[in-house]
């Protein structure tokens, strides 16, 4: 998704799934703690006034609407953490797994993963 968009401009926008079926209305936007980039949107589905978290990274703005590239049923089955609170790293991980997304590591993240050279005892 376009990263320079003002997250406040997403509030109140209609959200649609990959097939163009309406999911609901964007209720809140959650920013990445480290970068401040919009990362998740809570979409009010209307189903018992529940909000479903959707990832903003693979989503895109199409006109005045948010197009989320997942099936409506998958979105509605997303873990429910309530809204108005900070998402913990564990909750974010659950959401990434739910949507089958890779958790992106920062570009400056380097790890050896225990690799040793052949001459290391």
């Amino acid at each position: 998704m376009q990263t320079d968009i003002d997250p406040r401009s997403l509030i109140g926008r209609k959200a649609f799934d990959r097939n163009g079926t309406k999911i609901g209305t964007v209720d809140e936007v959650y920013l990445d703690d480290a970068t401040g980039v919009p990362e998740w949107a809570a979409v009010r589905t209307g189903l018992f006034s529940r909000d479903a978290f959707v990832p903003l990274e693979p989503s895109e703005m199409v006109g005045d609407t948010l197009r989320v590239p997942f099936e409506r049923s998958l979105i509605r089955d997303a873990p429910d953490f309530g809204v108005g609170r900070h998402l913990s790293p564990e909750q974010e991980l659950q959401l990434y797994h739910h949507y089958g997304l890779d958790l992106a590591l920062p570009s400056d993240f380097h790890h050896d993963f225990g690799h040793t050279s052949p001459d290391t005892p």
Side-chain angles (χ1 to χ4, degrees), residues 44-58:
R44 181 157 311 268
T45 63
L47 183 67
F48 306 112
S49 298
R50 178 185 183 275
D51 281 67
F53 286 91
V54 297
L56 290 174
E57 176 50 39

Side-chain angles (χ1 to χ4, degrees), residues 22-52:
K22 184 178 174 189
I23 304 164
T25 304
V26 177
D27 203 21
E28 292 189 26
V29 175
Y30 291 76
L31 308 180
D32 180 270
D33 288 339
T35 65
V37 173
E39 189 170 19
W40 299 96
V43 176
R44 181 157 311 268
T45 63
L47 183 67
F48 306 112
S49 298
R50 178 185 183 275
D51 281 67

Side-chain angles (χ1 to χ4, degrees), residues 40-93:
W40 299 96
V43 176
R44 181 157 311 268
T45 63
L47 183 67
F48 306 112
S49 298
R50 178 185 183 275
D51 281 67
F53 286 91
V54 297
L56 290 174
E57 176 50 39
S59 301
E60 61 183 351
M61 291 300 298
V62 178
D64 287 340
T65 64
L66 180 67
R67 180 65 57 104
V68 182
F70 298 100
E71 299 283 337
R72 183 178 180 203
S73 59
L74 181 68
I75 294 165
R76 288 195 168 188
D77 287 342
D80 184 4
F81 302 120
V83 294
R85 290 177 267 157
H86 183 265
L87 286 175
S88 72
E90 293 79 18
Q91 290 169 326
E92 281 193 82
L93 190 58

